[in-house]
Amino acid sequence: MKFSCEQQKLTKALNVVSKAVTSRSTIPILKGIMLEVTSEGKLTMSASDLDISIQDTIDVNTTEPGAIIVMAKLFGDIIRKLPSVEINIESDDENNVTIKCMNSEFKIIGMSTDEFPNVNMVSEETEAIDFNKSELRKMIDKTSFAASNDESRGVITGVLIELTPDQMNMVAIDGYRMAINRKAKVSTNPGNIIISAKIISEISRIIGETDSDEENGKMLLSEKKVIFKFDNIQAELKLIDGEFINYKDILPKDSKITAKVNRANFMESIERASLLSKAGKNNLIKIDLKDNIMTITSNSEEGNVKEEILTEKEGEDLVIGFNAQYVLDILKAIDDEEIKLFFNTGITPCLIEPIEGDKFEYLVLPVRIN
Amino acid sequence: MKFSCEQQKLTKALNVVSKAVTSRSTIPILKGIMLEVTSEGKLTMSASDLDISIQDTIDVNTTEPGAIIVMAKLFGDIIRKLPSVEINIESDDENNVTIKCMNSEFKIIGMSTDEFPNVNMVSEETEAIDFNKSELRKMIDKTSFAASNDESRGVITGVLIELTPDQMNMVAIDGYRMAINRKAKVSTNPGNIIISAKIISEISRIIGETDSDEENGKMLLSEKKVIFKFDNIQAELKLIDGEFINYKDILPKDSKITAKVNRANFMESIERASLLSKAGKNNLIKIDLKDNIMTITSNSEEGNVKEEILTEKEGEDLVIGFNAQYVLDILKAIDDEEIKLFFNTGITPCLIEPIEGDKFEYLVLPVRIN
């Protein structure tokens, strides 16, 4: 194998595929990146940790086609530290890789591609779904934080992608809170898939870090995996088996109290109130809704805090406690200037929605106040 | 005590004095900041960890003069999170502190000022030395990194400030390398002081973070301490007792080999070479000086690297090994485009100097190559 390529182009592709390189595995080959060069001048970089496999294809000047595995960390560090000019890379029959650039010459030990996981991405897909990259990214970021971090929790460590005839919904839940995000979209083949929240977040990160003029991508669904295709990138993600929680049953059917608040004011007040709640164990803040004033209080051995914000309330007065962090995570994921809160009692969940429409719904469980 | 002040002004002063707040102490009062308000509308904030004491004085609107101690972390977090408008702060006879700002009200527990370390900064100084703030900062940053981190090493954990009749020199040494920085300056009272490198670095950090039009400050020397005064800040630093190493004896008197190199090229080549030396134990790189080519090599189980740079050499050829990190630390502390290296043999120290003059000298010990 022998080719040359601009340092910056190589660095960008390395940053993309590195997202699939595991740092924890004891299998050396999973710490590697496969470089495959064709005689047509295409370099495909691939990496896989078995749950996610990523490929990025870039144009290079090929002298001799071939393939080799390089250790992702060392190869990446070398390429990133070289000057931004043309880099020459070649491998010999003993898997020795030579990297030459101006007055620098590296010889590193590569590995044969024989044992590399098969990431050829042939897809017996049932359906190809178009998506807008930045819209997909937002949906992921606005839901995945609410999934469970506890790897023993099965389906709820994942984000549900629900395809209905006219909508695409993402849902995540961890037992204390739930995030729902909806987008109008025509799907010919309705169905549900569940993807690990940690893994789908890598797709959001890659979209955020790559700058290209292409606005759209394709999602190819099959029984056990989903492939995201955009720019020259292909990412294959393993699906989580199982039935997702019937989340619609959890949503409260009606509410006795609604309160409209300015999101930024509400968020900043909770952030300040949590300065004192942190000292306690469960980050408890108390919300007191009385007429058109919402009072947020919190206290610890170090002192106490009282925050007041204006609200447009309908229904009775109410006192309810929350874990400040759960409410903050939700408020940070919303862009709207104003939001609506729905309550029933001090021991039933609070629902957070936009003033109009149903593009998002967040549910958060209260904490009992002693 | 009762006063009001702009949030941003308070935040800036808090950032300065917080540098003297210890996080490790078990003495609660050392985690505090003293607020002292005079009827003339001055708020002095003070903090001390006994090795360094810092005061910053700002203008406020005083309603009632007085003094109180607040916990630095909590008080700082609260002030930083409040909106950038006027903040009202008052304390009562039971040391309760109330912080009010728009719709926020905090009540936190303060402490009496009785047990706070005396940081009144009265100085029986022998001499006041003027300094240019950014020059002082550079001298600190260009030397302090070379001091020993090992707290049991006494004087060499400090930076020597040497005042001669016409120069101010700073020197630091850790047994493997030495940094010397010189500045022309008239001192009427020559003498030496030693200040902990960790502590004097806080002075550099404060100068770097404060933006003011004042370019100069004053250094007030007395027997056991030194006070740095600039802007409205006073910092009192405890001196380290003892005689500094006679560093001039360590400097090689002459050299058989000199090599002129471009600093950036030299640094980048060593950075790349160290990518492979890191895998080894002591970060070893080998420098091979032959005619007008300097070849830097390094190898590990993962591979090897060869970097070549042009040099203007005088004297014999030479092979010498270094810990890459020690050389990099020095090269990062130099601004000059070109530098001169002085060698004698492969087992004697290398001296690094500017092309002209003696504004800096760095010495680094070689590592034996097997």
Side-chain angles (χ1 to χ4, degrees), chain A residues 130-137 207 211-218 229-231:
Chain A
D130 292 315
F131 62 83
N132 174 288
K133 281 158 59 186
S134 73
E135 272 178 17
L136 180 78
R137 186 177 177 219
I207 293 174
D211 45 347
S212 85
D213 298 332
E214 280 180 50
E215 284 179 12
N216 296 310
K218 267 190 169 28
K229 277 191 180 191
F230 52 94
D231 305 333

Side-chain angles (χ1 to χ4, degrees), chain A residues 219-234:
Chain A
M219 217 169 105
L220 308 175
L221 283 179
S222 63
E223 208 187 329
K224 295 219 171 293
K225 63 189 186 187
V226 55
I227 297 174
F228 290 91
K229 277 191 180 191
F230 52 94
D231 305 333
N232 297 307
I233 298 164
Q234 291 200 58

Side-chain angles (χ1 to χ4, degrees), chain B residues 185-237:
Chain B
K185 173 164 287 301
V186 179
S187 298
T188 48
N189 250 332
N192 290 346
I193 60 171
I194 308 170
I195 304 172
S196 151
K198 220 183 278 172
I199 290 175
I200 201 171
S201 296
E202 298 295 352
I203 299 298
S204 159
R205 221 163 285 153
I206 293 171
I207 293 173
E209 289 172 15
T210 50
D211 46 346
S212 85
D213 298 333
E214 281 179 49
E215 284 179 13
N216 296 310
K218 266 189 169 31
M219 217 170 104
L220 307 175
L221 283 179
S222 63
E223 208 186 328
K224 295 217 170 293
K225 64 189 186 186
V226 55
I227 297 173
F228 290 91
K229 277 191 181 192
F230 52 94
D231 305 333
N232 297 306
I233 299 165
Q234 291 199 59
E236 182 184 292
L237 283 61

Side-chain angles (χ1 to χ4, degrees), chain B residues 277-284 323:
Chain B
S277 67
K278 271 178 193 159
K281 268 163 294 185
N282 55 3
N283 221 341
L284 176 71
N323 178 322

Side-chain angles (χ1 to χ4, degrees), chain B residues 137-168:
Chain B
R137 188 178 174 217
K138 276 190 194 165
M139 290 188 83
I140 295 171
D141 294 349
K142 287 170 184 300
T143 51
S144 57
F145 71 89
S148 175
N149 288 320
D150 179 348
E151 294 202 12
S152 69
R153 299 292 301 275
V155 287
I156 66 165
T157 61
V159 172
L160 169 72
I161 302 182
E162 188 182 43
L163 297 160
T164 72
D166 54 358
Q167 272 190 327
M168 176 161 114

